[in-house]
Structure formats: C-alpha cells, structure tokens
Amino acid sequence: MDNLQKRNLTFLTIGLIFMLNGIEYAVILPTIWRYLQILEAPPYFLGLGLSAFSLSGLLTGPLFGLWSDRSQTTKSIILFSNLFEIAGNFMYFIGYSKWLLLSSRLVAGVGAGAGSSIFGFLTRSTKPEERAGVFAAIMACRQAGLLVGPAFNLFLRLCDFKLGPFVVNKYTSPGIFMCLLWVLLQFAILGLYWDVPPVSSEEGSAMLEMKQEADDEEEGLLIGSDEEPLPTYRAVNSDQLEASTSSGTRPVRGASILSACRELLREEVVVLLTAQFITLFNQTALETMVTPMTQRLFSFGELSNSLMYSLCGLEVILGFFFVRWLSRRVADRAVLAAGLVICCVACIWCLIFLCSPRGGYGWELSSFIIGVFLQLLGLPFVAVSQVSLFSKVTAEKTQGFSQGVRRSVGGLATILGPLWAGGLTNNLYIMLGMMLALLIMITVMTVLSYDRLTEPRAVQSAQGSDGGG
C-alpha cells in the first residue's frame, strides 16, 4: 500500500472520529436534561454537564498538540485519548448520581483534547490551497454524526431492561452505546490509520513530487548513485531543514514553542482566536437554550428534540459542502466576513421575534425555525474559514500546539456559553443582547484587520526560520 492510499484511509478514519464525536453529542444532548432531573439535579447542572466536557478538552488540547509536535505522530495519541472516551461514556451509563454524571462528561472530554493533534496532522498533510476543503469535509463528518445520532435515539429510547446490576433505559443507554462505538473505533484506528509523512506546502502537488522523484532516480542512474528513491509523499519539514543547515543548534524545539507563543499575539491570530471564541460561545449558548425553550413553548419531548437536531445537522452538512465548494473560488477572509454578517442577522432576528413571542403557536414556531435556520447557516462559513486561515498564518511545525491553543479557546467558549445561557433561559433579552454585542465586536475587528487575514508568500516562507528562533 503506497502513501497516497494510506493518506486517504487515514483521512477516512479521521472522518469517523469526528462522526463519533457528533453522534455522541446528538444522542446525549436531547436526554441529559431529563436525566439530570431524574437524578434530582438543580437546573444549573445542565450547564455544568455540558461545560465539563469542554473543560477537559481545554486543558488537554495544548498538551496533546505539544506531544504530537515533538513526536510527529498522532496514532498513539488518538488511541490513548479514546480510552478516556470509553471510560467516560461507561460512567455516564452507570449514572448513580448527578456527580457521577458530571464526572463522566469530565473524563470523556479528555478524549476530545486529541483534536489538536489531528488538526496539526491535517495541516502538515495538506497543501494550503486544498486545506479549507479538507477541513470542511472533516467538519461535515461531525455534522453527519449529529444527523445520524437522533436516528439512534429512536431505538435507544425504547430500551427498558437490566444489564446485570445496571438499568438500561432511554437515559442511560446512550452511555453504553457510545462506549461500544468508541471500542469499535479503536480497532478501525489500529488497522486504517497511518502516520504518513507530511506533504510539503512549498513543493507543490503530489504529482509534482512524483515527477521530482522520477527525475532524482534518473539523475542518480546517470551519476552512478546507489541511493534508494524517496517516498512519493516525502516532505522536508522545517525541523529537518534546521537540522541540516544548523547542526550546532540543538534547542530547536524549545525555541519553536517560544516562537509559537509569540505568534499567537499577532493581530491576525488574535482576530481569528476571538472569532473562534465568540462563534462557539454563541453556538453553545443557543444549544443550551433550545431544549428548555422548546419544552416550555412547544412541549417538545425527547423524540421531537431528536428530530429537530437531525434537521439541524442536515442543514449544517449542506452548509459545509457549500463552503467546501466556495473555498475554491473565494478567499477565506471573504467567507469569514460573510459568515459573521449572517450570524449578526440571525441574532437580531432572535432578539426581535423570540424574546417576546406573540401571534399564536404557529407564528412562534415559524419564528423559532427561521431563527435556528439563520444561526446554523452562518456556522459553516465562520468555522471553516477561521480554522483554515489559522493554519496558514501560524507556523506549520508547531501546528499541534497552535491548534491546541485554538481549540482551548474554543473549549473556554463552550464552557462559558452554557453557563451564561443556563442561568438566563428566562431572560433572553440579556442573553441574546450580549451575543449580538460580541458578534458586532468581532465583525468590526475583522473589517479593521481584513488586509492581514491572508497568507502572504513572504510570511509563509519565513515561518520556518522564525520558528527556529
């Protein structure tokens, strides 16, 4: 099996990982509210339960990223992190108390920290011009999980039996179900995931590298070289370049991390990190608000919520594929700006029509559907563009650490978002007003820094030397 086949199978496995993340979210979110109520947990435990998962990812993301930067491998990291997903979901299944349920999400969240290593791997394994499309496809896999997850809930809600000393019902079954899925994924990773060599962003396409390989072989024959041909997907990364050009410089890695920390303070990086925080803060705040709102206004139960999340997942998947197509024709920064405008419009709509619903059940439901549609419409634009831009304006050799910081910022947002919304489900003017203010702020920041939100060729070529200190 050549490196191209290994690379494709590895990308497929990464898609499965993100799909399982989406399935887990989709099967747990519609039922965790009632699960906590059965365990006699106070209302704020909903926010704590949703935030606990993000807290673990926030703390472990940079560590996993640093590990992958140093080892240049991700397979062992993913296998290790998935053990926490397995343990956490089994604890959720046991669920004897509200505190065990809270701890289960905390443990499972450690597994999500490996996402920084995965994004670092994807950055090193893709060329800049194809990166947005790859990121969009991977993110669409998570949304596919959100789409498929509610379908699993259709039969999980019918569970009502005992498994030894444990009760299996519609509230505990998502835990054991996800535990089994993560175990099966471990076998898929063992057989289908390879730490393939990175594709050089400066060497052009894979076809060009194969041509160069053939030229090297021909030249070797002419001069009598006995060296073996290099792999098709070979790439000399910045660490290797530094090792060959400055053999006397040993503390490269420490200097690289220092350089990565410095570059996180650059204007364009700060804008992208702020966009990451605000969009995820608003998204998770709305997700926390939706379940109590649909229960209060429309009397939705677990089945209705599952169907709603399924339709939402379908919309977002279509949005990601549209952005995948659009990213080949439009600059990332233009996609980001369009997404922020859509999010602002969506938040204004919710402020006007959802805070003080009037006009009867039909009008309230229609206003709610339009508001959710607009919120989800802007999500793929912002999510794909800011991740793609972030990978291009930060050094390639410390992508694991940088992506870990980016995901930690997102993790902080997903912690604060549910906490903010959990206490304001009956005060939507305050909740949505703050969200709109944040969106306006990041939109202004994007406009002011628009010229810097790009990948200058000079900066790209200089990142390798800057990273070395």
PDB file of all heavy atoms in Angstrom, residues 1-14 17 72-76 78-79 121-122 125 187-198:
ATOM      1  N   MET A   1       0.843  -1.194   0.000  1.00  0.00           N
ATOM      2  CA  MET A   1       0.000   0.000   0.000  1.00  0.00           C
ATOM      3  C   MET A   1       0.882   1.248   0.000  1.00  0.00           C
ATOM      4  O   MET A   1       1.749   1.403   0.857  1.00  0.00           O
ATOM      5  CB  MET A   1      -0.908  -0.001   1.237  1.00  0.00           C
ATOM      6  CG  MET A   1      -1.942   1.115   1.228  1.00  0.00           C
ATOM      7  SD  MET A   1      -2.994   1.076   2.705  1.00  0.00           S
ATOM      8  CE  MET A   1      -3.781  -0.524   2.515  1.00  0.00           C
ATOM      9  N   ASP A   2       0.690   2.136  -0.994  1.00  0.00           N
ATOM     10  CA  ASP A   2       1.538   3.319  -1.073  1.00  0.00           C
ATOM     11  C   ASP A   2       1.026   4.404  -0.128  1.00  0.00           C
ATOM     12  O   ASP A   2      -0.044   4.289   0.487  1.00  0.00           O
ATOM     13  CB  ASP A   2       1.625   3.835  -2.510  1.00  0.00           C
ATOM     14  CG  ASP A   2       0.260   4.223  -3.079  1.00  0.00           C
ATOM     15  OD1 ASP A   2      -0.641   4.579  -2.285  1.00  0.00           O
ATOM     16  OD2 ASP A   2       0.089   4.179  -4.312  1.00  0.00           O
ATOM     17  N   ASN A   3       1.805   5.485  -0.049  1.00  0.00           N
ATOM     18  CA  ASN A   3       1.484   6.544   0.907  1.00  0.00           C
ATOM     19  C   ASN A   3       0.190   7.269   0.571  1.00  0.00           C
ATOM     20  O   ASN A   3      -0.490   7.791   1.455  1.00  0.00           O
ATOM     21  CB  ASN A   3       2.637   7.550   0.983  1.00  0.00           C
ATOM     22  CG  ASN A   3       3.774   7.040   1.842  1.00  0.00           C
ATOM     23  OD1 ASN A   3       3.562   6.275   2.768  1.00  0.00           O
ATOM     24  ND2 ASN A   3       4.988   7.450   1.518  1.00  0.00           N
ATOM     25  N   LEU A   4      -0.153   7.338  -0.740  1.00  0.00           N
ATOM     26  CA  LEU A   4      -1.398   8.004  -1.128  1.00  0.00           C
ATOM     27  C   LEU A   4      -2.604   7.239  -0.597  1.00  0.00           C
ATOM     28  O   LEU A   4      -3.546   7.830  -0.057  1.00  0.00           O
ATOM     29  CB  LEU A   4      -1.468   8.117  -2.651  1.00  0.00           C
ATOM     30  CG  LEU A   4      -2.752   8.756  -3.217  1.00  0.00           C
ATOM     31  CD1 LEU A   4      -2.924  10.166  -2.655  1.00  0.00           C
ATOM     32  CD2 LEU A   4      -2.712   8.771  -4.734  1.00  0.00           C
ATOM     33  N   GLN A   5      -2.589   5.916  -0.722  1.00  0.00           N
ATOM     34  CA  GLN A   5      -3.679   5.105  -0.190  1.00  0.00           C
ATOM     35  C   GLN A   5      -3.748   5.201   1.335  1.00  0.00           C
ATOM     36  O   GLN A   5      -4.835   5.302   1.923  1.00  0.00           O
ATOM     37  CB  GLN A   5      -3.506   3.648  -0.614  1.00  0.00           C
ATOM     38  CG  GLN A   5      -3.690   3.412  -2.107  1.00  0.00           C
ATOM     39  CD  GLN A   5      -3.373   1.974  -2.496  1.00  0.00           C
ATOM     40  OE1 GLN A   5      -2.299   1.443  -2.200  1.00  0.00           O
ATOM     41  NE2 GLN A   5      -4.312   1.334  -3.176  1.00  0.00           N
ATOM     42  N   LYS A   6      -2.584   5.163   1.977  1.00  0.00           N
ATOM     43  CA  LYS A   6      -2.559   5.295   3.437  1.00  0.00           C
ATOM     44  C   LYS A   6      -3.114   6.651   3.874  1.00  0.00           C
ATOM     45  O   LYS A   6      -3.848   6.749   4.863  1.00  0.00           O
ATOM     46  CB  LYS A   6      -1.128   5.126   3.950  1.00  0.00           C
ATOM     47  CG  LYS A   6      -0.575   3.708   3.815  1.00  0.00           C
ATOM     48  CD  LYS A   6       0.835   3.630   4.360  1.00  0.00           C
ATOM     49  CE  LYS A   6       1.379   2.207   4.273  1.00  0.00           C
ATOM     50  NZ  LYS A   6       2.755   2.105   4.790  1.00  0.00           N
ATOM     51  N   ARG A   7      -2.759   7.676   3.117  1.00  0.00           N
ATOM     52  CA  ARG A   7      -3.226   9.021   3.448  1.00  0.00           C
ATOM     53  C   ARG A   7      -4.745   9.102   3.345  1.00  0.00           C
ATOM     54  O   ARG A   7      -5.421   9.649   4.229  1.00  0.00           O
ATOM     55  CB  ARG A   7      -2.568  10.021   2.503  1.00  0.00           C
ATOM     56  CG  ARG A   7      -2.956  11.491   2.711  1.00  0.00           C
ATOM     57  CD  ARG A   7      -2.115  12.348   1.763  1.00  0.00           C
ATOM     58  NE  ARG A   7      -2.404  13.759   1.914  1.00  0.00           N
ATOM     59  CZ  ARG A   7      -3.205  14.455   1.100  1.00  0.00           C
ATOM     60  NH1 ARG A   7      -3.811  13.837   0.098  1.00  0.00           N
ATOM     61  NH2 ARG A   7      -3.408  15.747   1.290  1.00  0.00           N
ATOM     62  N   ASN A   8      -5.309   8.534   2.283  1.00  0.00           N
ATOM     63  CA  ASN A   8      -6.760   8.574   2.100  1.00  0.00           C
ATOM     64  C   ASN A   8      -7.490   7.777   3.181  1.00  0.00           C
ATOM     65  O   ASN A   8      -8.522   8.209   3.705  1.00  0.00           O
ATOM     66  CB  ASN A   8      -7.119   8.033   0.717  1.00  0.00           C
ATOM     67  CG  ASN A   8      -6.671   8.966  -0.404  1.00  0.00           C
ATOM     68  OD1 ASN A   8      -6.501  10.162  -0.189  1.00  0.00           O
ATOM     69  ND2 ASN A   8      -6.478   8.425  -1.586  1.00  0.00           N
ATOM     70  N   LEU A   9      -6.950   6.598   3.528  1.00  0.00           N
ATOM     71  CA  LEU A   9      -7.566   5.790   4.579  1.00  0.00           C
ATOM     72  C   LEU A   9      -7.465   6.489   5.935  1.00  0.00           C
ATOM     73  O   LEU A   9      -8.378   6.405   6.766  1.00  0.00           O
ATOM     74  CB  LEU A   9      -6.917   4.414   4.642  1.00  0.00           C
ATOM     75  CG  LEU A   9      -7.270   3.454   3.501  1.00  0.00           C
ATOM     76  CD1 LEU A   9      -6.454   2.166   3.620  1.00  0.00           C
ATOM     77  CD2 LEU A   9      -8.764   3.128   3.520  1.00  0.00           C
ATOM     78  N   THR A  10      -6.347   7.176   6.149  1.00  0.00           N
ATOM     79  CA  THR A  10      -6.174   7.920   7.399  1.00  0.00           C
ATOM     80  C   THR A  10      -7.185   9.053   7.491  1.00  0.00           C
ATOM     81  O   THR A  10      -7.803   9.277   8.545  1.00  0.00           O
ATOM     82  CB  THR A  10      -4.743   8.471   7.497  1.00  0.00           C
ATOM     83  OG1 THR A  10      -3.813   7.385   7.466  1.00  0.00           O
ATOM     84  CG2 THR A  10      -4.552   9.260   8.778  1.00  0.00           C
ATOM     85  N   PHE A  11      -7.376   9.793   6.390  1.00  0.00           N
ATOM     86  CA  PHE A  11      -8.373  10.861   6.373  1.00  0.00           C
ATOM     87  C   PHE A  11      -9.772  10.291   6.614  1.00  0.00           C
ATOM     88  O   PHE A  11     -10.598  10.910   7.303  1.00  0.00           O
ATOM     89  CB  PHE A  11      -8.333  11.608   5.044  1.00  0.00           C
ATOM     90  CG  PHE A  11      -7.172  12.557   4.908  1.00  0.00           C
ATOM     91  CD1 PHE A  11      -6.200  12.645   5.887  1.00  0.00           C
ATOM     92  CD2 PHE A  11      -7.040  13.365   3.796  1.00  0.00           C
ATOM     93  CE1 PHE A  11      -5.124  13.514   5.775  1.00  0.00           C
ATOM     94  CE2 PHE A  11      -5.987  14.245   3.663  1.00  0.00           C
ATOM     95  CZ  PHE A  11      -5.020  14.320   4.656  1.00  0.00           C
ATOM     96  N   LEU A  12     -10.051   9.119   6.046  1.00  0.00           N
ATOM     97  CA  LEU A  12     -11.338   8.473   6.263  1.00  0.00           C
ATOM     98  C   LEU A  12     -11.532   8.131   7.740  1.00  0.00           C
ATOM     99  O   LEU A  12     -12.618   8.342   8.310  1.00  0.00           O
ATOM    100  CB  LEU A  12     -11.437   7.211   5.416  1.00  0.00           C
ATOM    101  CG  LEU A  12     -12.695   6.358   5.607  1.00  0.00           C
ATOM    102  CD1 LEU A  12     -13.938   7.139   5.193  1.00  0.00           C
ATOM    103  CD2 LEU A  12     -12.589   5.053   4.812  1.00  0.00           C
ATOM    104  N   THR A  13     -10.466   7.638   8.376  1.00  0.00           N
ATOM    105  CA  THR A  13     -10.541   7.300   9.801  1.00  0.00           C
ATOM    106  C   THR A  13     -10.754   8.547  10.654  1.00  0.00           C
ATOM    107  O   THR A  13     -11.517   8.530  11.625  1.00  0.00           O
ATOM    108  CB  THR A  13      -9.263   6.575  10.243  1.00  0.00           C
ATOM    109  OG1 THR A  13      -9.004   5.481   9.365  1.00  0.00           O
ATOM    110  CG2 THR A  13      -9.403   6.042  11.661  1.00  0.00           C
ATOM    111  N   ILE A  14     -10.097   9.639  10.281  1.00  0.00           N
ATOM    112  CA  ILE A  14     -10.305  10.901  10.987  1.00  0.00           C
ATOM    113  C   ILE A  14     -11.757  11.349  10.861  1.00  0.00           C
ATOM    114  O   ILE A  14     -12.368  11.833  11.824  1.00  0.00           O
ATOM    115  CB  ILE A  14      -9.344  11.983  10.448  1.00  0.00           C
ATOM    116  CG1 ILE A  14      -7.904  11.653  10.856  1.00  0.00           C
ATOM    117  CG2 ILE A  14      -9.729  13.364  10.961  1.00  0.00           C
ATOM    118  CD1 ILE A  14      -6.867  12.573  10.248  1.00  0.00           C
ATOM    119  N   ILE A  17     -13.741   9.481  13.349  1.00  0.00           N
ATOM    120  CA  ILE A  17     -13.548  10.012  14.703  1.00  0.00           C
ATOM    121  C   ILE A  17     -14.465  11.206  14.936  1.00  0.00           C
ATOM    122  O   ILE A  17     -15.164  11.307  15.957  1.00  0.00           O
ATOM    123  CB  ILE A  17     -12.074  10.405  14.926  1.00  0.00           C
ATOM    124  CG1 ILE A  17     -11.183   9.164  14.888  1.00  0.00           C
ATOM    125  CG2 ILE A  17     -11.904  11.137  16.256  1.00  0.00           C
ATOM    126  CD1 ILE A  17      -9.696   9.484  14.889  1.00  0.00           C
ATOM    127  N   GLN A  72       5.899  13.899  16.202  1.00  0.00           N
ATOM    128  CA  GLN A  72       5.495  13.842  14.794  1.00  0.00           C
ATOM    129  C   GLN A  72       4.625  12.621  14.512  1.00  0.00           C
ATOM    130  O   GLN A  72       4.626  12.094  13.395  1.00  0.00           O
ATOM    131  CB  GLN A  72       6.726  13.855  13.879  1.00  0.00           C
ATOM    132  CG  GLN A  72       7.506  15.156  13.910  1.00  0.00           C
ATOM    133  CD  GLN A  72       6.708  16.329  13.368  1.00  0.00           C
ATOM    134  OE1 GLN A  72       6.247  16.319  12.237  1.00  0.00           O
ATOM    135  NE2 GLN A  72       6.537  17.360  14.192  1.00  0.00           N
ATOM    136  N   THR A  73       3.904  12.146  15.516  1.00  0.00           N
ATOM    137  CA  THR A  73       2.978  11.026  15.357  1.00  0.00           C
ATOM    138  C   THR A  73       1.649  11.400  16.020  1.00  0.00           C
ATOM    139  O   THR A  73       1.612  12.213  16.945  1.00  0.00           O
ATOM    140  CB  THR A  73       3.508   9.735  15.994  1.00  0.00           C
ATOM    141  OG1 THR A  73       3.709   9.944  17.400  1.00  0.00           O
ATOM    142  CG2 THR A  73       4.827   9.316  15.358  1.00  0.00           C
ATOM    143  N   THR A  74       0.582  10.794  15.537  1.00  0.00           N
ATOM    144  CA  THR A  74      -0.736  11.045  16.128  1.00  0.00           C
ATOM    145  C   THR A  74      -1.494   9.763  16.452  1.00  0.00           C
ATOM    146  O   THR A  74      -2.416   9.793  17.261  1.00  0.00           O
ATOM    147  CB  THR A  74      -1.603  11.889  15.175  1.00  0.00           C
ATOM    148  OG1 THR A  74      -1.640  11.254  13.888  1.00  0.00           O
ATOM    149  CG2 THR A  74      -1.043  13.294  15.027  1.00  0.00           C
ATOM    150  N   LYS A  75      -1.134   8.653  15.841  1.00  0.00           N
ATOM    151  CA  LYS A  75      -1.903   7.423  16.021  1.00  0.00           C
ATOM    152  C   LYS A  75      -1.944   6.995  17.485  1.00  0.00           C
ATOM    153  O   LYS A  75      -3.020   6.712  18.039  1.00  0.00           O
ATOM    154  CB  LYS A  75      -1.318   6.310  15.160  1.00  0.00           C
ATOM    155  CG  LYS A  75      -2.082   4.995  15.227  1.00  0.00           C
ATOM    156  CD  LYS A  75      -1.529   3.984  14.244  1.00  0.00           C
ATOM    157  CE  LYS A  75      -2.325   2.684  14.267  1.00  0.00           C
ATOM    158  NZ  LYS A  75      -1.838   1.717  13.248  1.00  0.00           N
ATOM    159  N   SER A  76      -0.785   6.951  18.119  1.00  0.00           N
ATOM    160  CA  SER A  76      -0.744   6.524  19.521  1.00  0.00           C
ATOM    161  C   SER A  76      -1.479   7.511  20.417  1.00  0.00           C
ATOM    162  O   SER A  76      -2.101   7.118  21.416  1.00  0.00           O
ATOM    163  CB  SER A  76       0.709   6.379  19.979  1.00  0.00           C
ATOM    164  OG  SER A  76       1.421   7.600  19.806  1.00  0.00           O
ATOM    165  N   ILE A  78      -4.132   9.310  19.594  1.00  0.00           N
ATOM    166  CA  ILE A  78      -5.572   9.107  19.426  1.00  0.00           C
ATOM    167  C   ILE A  78      -6.030   7.844  20.158  1.00  0.00           C
ATOM    168  O   ILE A  78      -7.072   7.837  20.822  1.00  0.00           O
ATOM    169  CB  ILE A  78      -5.918   9.029  17.930  1.00  0.00           C
ATOM    170  CG1 ILE A  78      -5.621  10.366  17.255  1.00  0.00           C
ATOM    171  CG2 ILE A  78      -7.382   8.660  17.725  1.00  0.00           C
ATOM    172  CD1 ILE A  78      -5.749  10.341  15.752  1.00  0.00           C
ATOM    173  N   LEU A  79      -5.250   6.767  20.030  1.00  0.00           N
ATOM    174  CA  LEU A  79      -5.608   5.525  20.725  1.00  0.00           C
ATOM    175  C   LEU A  79      -5.663   5.737  22.239  1.00  0.00           C
ATOM    176  O   LEU A  79      -6.560   5.227  22.919  1.00  0.00           O
ATOM    177  CB  LEU A  79      -4.602   4.426  20.380  1.00  0.00           C
ATOM    178  CG  LEU A  79      -4.675   3.862  18.956  1.00  0.00           C
ATOM    179  CD1 LEU A  79      -3.470   2.967  18.681  1.00  0.00           C
ATOM    180  CD2 LEU A  79      -5.972   3.089  18.756  1.00  0.00           C
ATOM    181  N   PHE A 121      -1.953  17.406  12.332  1.00  0.00           N
ATOM    182  CA  PHE A 121      -1.642  16.406  11.322  1.00  0.00           C
ATOM    183  C   PHE A 121      -2.245  16.789   9.966  1.00  0.00           C
ATOM    184  O   PHE A 121      -1.584  16.683   8.922  1.00  0.00           O
ATOM    185  CB  PHE A 121      -2.167  15.041  11.768  1.00  0.00           C
ATOM    186  CG  PHE A 121      -2.133  13.982  10.712  1.00  0.00           C
ATOM    187  CD1 PHE A 121      -0.954  13.291  10.437  1.00  0.00           C
ATOM    188  CD2 PHE A 121      -3.271  13.669   9.974  1.00  0.00           C
ATOM    189  CE1 PHE A 121      -0.916  12.317   9.452  1.00  0.00           C
ATOM    190  CE2 PHE A 121      -3.244  12.702   8.993  1.00  0.00           C
ATOM    191  CZ  PHE A 121      -2.063  12.020   8.723  1.00  0.00           C
ATOM    192  N   LEU A 122      -3.500  17.251   9.961  1.00  0.00           N
ATOM    193  CA  LEU A 122      -4.146  17.638   8.711  1.00  0.00           C
ATOM    194  C   LEU A 122      -3.439  18.824   8.069  1.00  0.00           C
ATOM    195  O   LEU A 122      -3.318  18.893   6.839  1.00  0.00           O
ATOM    196  CB  LEU A 122      -5.613  17.982   8.966  1.00  0.00           C
ATOM    197  CG  LEU A 122      -6.533  16.817   9.324  1.00  0.00           C
ATOM    198  CD1 LEU A 122      -7.921  17.323   9.707  1.00  0.00           C
ATOM    199  CD2 LEU A 122      -6.628  15.825   8.171  1.00  0.00           C
ATOM    200  N   SER A 125      -0.390  17.614   6.399  1.00  0.00           N
ATOM    201  CA  SER A 125      -0.650  16.633   5.354  1.00  0.00           C
ATOM    202  C   SER A 125      -1.441  17.201   4.176  1.00  0.00           C
ATOM    203  O   SER A 125      -1.840  16.450   3.294  1.00  0.00           O
ATOM    204  CB  SER A 125      -1.426  15.444   5.940  1.00  0.00           C
ATOM    205  OG  SER A 125      -0.721  14.867   7.013  1.00  0.00           O
ATOM    206  N   PHE A 187     -10.346  -0.358  16.991  1.00  0.00           N
ATOM    207  CA  PHE A 187      -9.900  -1.359  16.028  1.00  0.00           C
ATOM    208  C   PHE A 187      -9.742  -0.752  14.632  1.00  0.00           C
ATOM    209  O   PHE A 187      -8.818  -1.098  13.888  1.00  0.00           O
ATOM    210  CB  PHE A 187     -10.880  -2.532  15.993  1.00  0.00           C
ATOM    211  CG  PHE A 187     -10.886  -3.353  17.243  1.00  0.00           C
ATOM    212  CD1 PHE A 187     -11.898  -3.204  18.184  1.00  0.00           C
ATOM    213  CD2 PHE A 187      -9.875  -4.267  17.509  1.00  0.00           C
ATOM    214  CE1 PHE A 187     -11.911  -3.957  19.355  1.00  0.00           C
ATOM    215  CE2 PHE A 187      -9.875  -5.026  18.672  1.00  0.00           C
ATOM    216  CZ  PHE A 187     -10.884  -4.872  19.593  1.00  0.00           C
ATOM    217  N   ALA A 188     -10.638   0.160  14.280  1.00  0.00           N
ATOM    218  CA  ALA A 188     -10.525   0.839  12.988  1.00  0.00           C
ATOM    219  C   ALA A 188      -9.247   1.670  12.916  1.00  0.00           C
ATOM    220  O   ALA A 188      -8.560   1.685  11.881  1.00  0.00           O
ATOM    221  CB  ALA A 188     -11.749   1.726  12.758  1.00  0.00           C
ATOM    222  N   ILE A 189      -8.901   2.348  13.998  1.00  0.00           N
ATOM    223  CA  ILE A 189      -7.674   3.157  14.020  1.00  0.00           C
ATOM    224  C   ILE A 189      -6.442   2.264  13.904  1.00  0.00           C
ATOM    225  O   ILE A 189      -5.489   2.585  13.186  1.00  0.00           O
ATOM    226  CB  ILE A 189      -7.622   4.002  15.308  1.00  0.00           C
ATOM    227  CG1 ILE A 189      -8.747   5.030  15.302  1.00  0.00           C
ATOM    228  CG2 ILE A 189      -6.277   4.699  15.448  1.00  0.00           C
ATOM    229  CD1 ILE A 189      -8.920   5.765  16.610  1.00  0.00           C
ATOM    230  N   LEU A 190      -6.469   1.136  14.596  1.00  0.00           N
ATOM    231  CA  LEU A 190      -5.326   0.219  14.533  1.00  0.00           C
ATOM    232  C   LEU A 190      -5.088  -0.281  13.118  1.00  0.00           C
ATOM    233  O   LEU A 190      -3.930  -0.451  12.695  1.00  0.00           O
ATOM    234  CB  LEU A 190      -5.569  -0.968  15.467  1.00  0.00           C
ATOM    235  CG  LEU A 190      -5.441  -0.698  16.971  1.00  0.00           C
ATOM    236  CD1 LEU A 190      -5.913  -1.898  17.772  1.00  0.00           C
ATOM    237  CD2 LEU A 190      -3.990  -0.374  17.336  1.00  0.00           C
ATOM    238  N   GLY A 191      -6.157  -0.491  12.347  1.00  0.00           N
ATOM    239  CA  GLY A 191      -5.992  -1.067  11.022  1.00  0.00           C
ATOM    240  C   GLY A 191      -5.939  -0.083   9.872  1.00  0.00           C
ATOM    241  O   GLY A 191      -5.381  -0.396   8.815  1.00  0.00           O
ATOM    242  N   LEU A 192      -6.489   1.122  10.062  1.00  0.00           N
ATOM    243  CA  LEU A 192      -6.649   2.035   8.928  1.00  0.00           C
ATOM    244  C   LEU A 192      -5.916   3.359   9.078  1.00  0.00           C
ATOM    245  O   LEU A 192      -5.936   4.163   8.139  1.00  0.00           O
ATOM    246  CB  LEU A 192      -8.142   2.330   8.707  1.00  0.00           C
ATOM    247  CG  LEU A 192      -9.047   1.129   8.409  1.00  0.00           C
ATOM    248  CD1 LEU A 192     -10.496   1.576   8.302  1.00  0.00           C
ATOM    249  CD2 LEU A 192      -8.607   0.436   7.129  1.00  0.00           C
ATOM    250  N   TYR A 193      -5.299   3.619  10.211  1.00  0.00           N
ATOM    251  CA  TYR A 193      -4.658   4.918  10.451  1.00  0.00           C
ATOM    252  C   TYR A 193      -3.143   4.778  10.371  1.00  0.00           C
ATOM    253  O   TYR A 193      -2.567   3.897  11.005  1.00  0.00           O
ATOM    254  CB  TYR A 193      -5.064   5.464  11.834  1.00  0.00           C
ATOM    255  CG  TYR A 193      -4.730   6.920  12.054  1.00  0.00           C
ATOM    256  CD1 TYR A 193      -5.711   7.890  11.990  1.00  0.00           C
ATOM    257  CD2 TYR A 193      -3.431   7.332  12.329  1.00  0.00           C
ATOM    258  CE1 TYR A 193      -5.425   9.226  12.199  1.00  0.00           C
ATOM    259  CE2 TYR A 193      -3.126   8.660  12.535  1.00  0.00           C
ATOM    260  CZ  TYR A 193      -4.126   9.605  12.474  1.00  0.00           C
ATOM    261  OH  TYR A 193      -3.826  10.931  12.677  1.00  0.00           O
ATOM    262  N   TRP A 194      -2.497   5.654   9.584  1.00  0.00           N
ATOM    263  CA  TRP A 194      -1.038   5.676   9.475  1.00  0.00           C
ATOM    264  C   TRP A 194      -0.538   7.100   9.701  1.00  0.00           C
ATOM    265  O   TRP A 194      -1.192   8.076   9.295  1.00  0.00           O
ATOM    266  CB  TRP A 194      -0.587   5.224   8.085  1.00  0.00           C
ATOM    267  CG  TRP A 194      -0.637   3.752   7.853  1.00  0.00           C
ATOM    268  CD1 TRP A 194       0.337   2.827   8.118  1.00  0.00           C
ATOM    269  CD2 TRP A 194      -1.726   3.005   7.305  1.00  0.00           C
ATOM    270  NE1 TRP A 194      -0.078   1.568   7.760  1.00  0.00           N
ATOM    271  CE2 TRP A 194      -1.340   1.643   7.268  1.00  0.00           C
ATOM    272  CE3 TRP A 194      -3.002   3.348   6.838  1.00  0.00           C
ATOM    273  CZ2 TRP A 194      -2.167   0.647   6.782  1.00  0.00           C
ATOM    274  CZ3 TRP A 194      -3.834   2.352   6.358  1.00  0.00           C
ATOM    275  CH2 TRP A 194      -3.409   1.022   6.338  1.00  0.00           C
ATOM    276  N   ASP A 195       0.607   7.187  10.332  1.00  0.00           N
ATOM    277  CA  ASP A 195       1.276   8.486  10.458  1.00  0.00           C
ATOM    278  C   ASP A 195       2.093   8.723   9.198  1.00  0.00           C
ATOM    279  O   ASP A 195       3.319   8.564   9.173  1.00  0.00           O
ATOM    280  CB  ASP A 195       2.173   8.507  11.705  1.00  0.00           C
ATOM    281  CG  ASP A 195       1.370   8.575  12.991  1.00  0.00           C
ATOM    282  OD1 ASP A 195       0.504   9.464  13.081  1.00  0.00           O
ATOM    283  OD2 ASP A 195       1.598   7.741  13.881  1.00  0.00           O
ATOM    284  N   VAL A 196       1.398   9.092   8.113  1.00  0.00           N
ATOM    285  CA  VAL A 196       2.060   9.266   6.826  1.00  0.00           C
ATOM    286  C   VAL A 196       2.963  10.491   6.866  1.00  0.00           C
ATOM    287  O   VAL A 196       2.704  11.441   7.616  1.00  0.00           O
ATOM    288  CB  VAL A 196       1.019   9.407   5.699  1.00  0.00           C
ATOM    289  CG1 VAL A 196       0.245   8.125   5.519  1.00  0.00           C
ATOM    290  CG2 VAL A 196       0.078  10.571   5.966  1.00  0.00           C
ATOM    291  N   PRO A 197       4.029  10.511   6.059  1.00  0.00           N
ATOM    292  CA  PRO A 197       4.911  11.684   6.010  1.00  0.00           C
ATOM    293  C   PRO A 197       4.135  12.906   5.543  1.00  0.00           C
ATOM    294  O   PRO A 197       3.184  12.788   4.764  1.00  0.00           O
ATOM    295  CB  PRO A 197       5.981  11.285   4.988  1.00  0.00           C
ATOM    296  CG  PRO A 197       5.936   9.805   4.936  1.00  0.00           C
ATOM    297  CD  PRO A 197       4.517   9.424   5.197  1.00  0.00           C
ATOM    298  N   PRO A 198       4.511  14.088   6.014  1.00  0.00           N
ATOM    299  CA  PRO A 198       3.784  15.306   5.632  1.00  0.00           C
ATOM    300  C   PRO A 198       4.016  15.674   4.176  1.00  0.00           C
ATOM    301  O   PRO A 198       5.045  15.361   3.588  1.00  0.00           O
ATOM    302  CB  PRO A 198       4.357  16.371   6.569  1.00  0.00           C
ATOM    303  CG  PRO A 198       5.708  15.857   6.938  1.00  0.00           C
ATOM    304  CD  PRO A 198       5.595  14.363   6.981  1.00  0.00           C
TER     305      PRO A 198
END
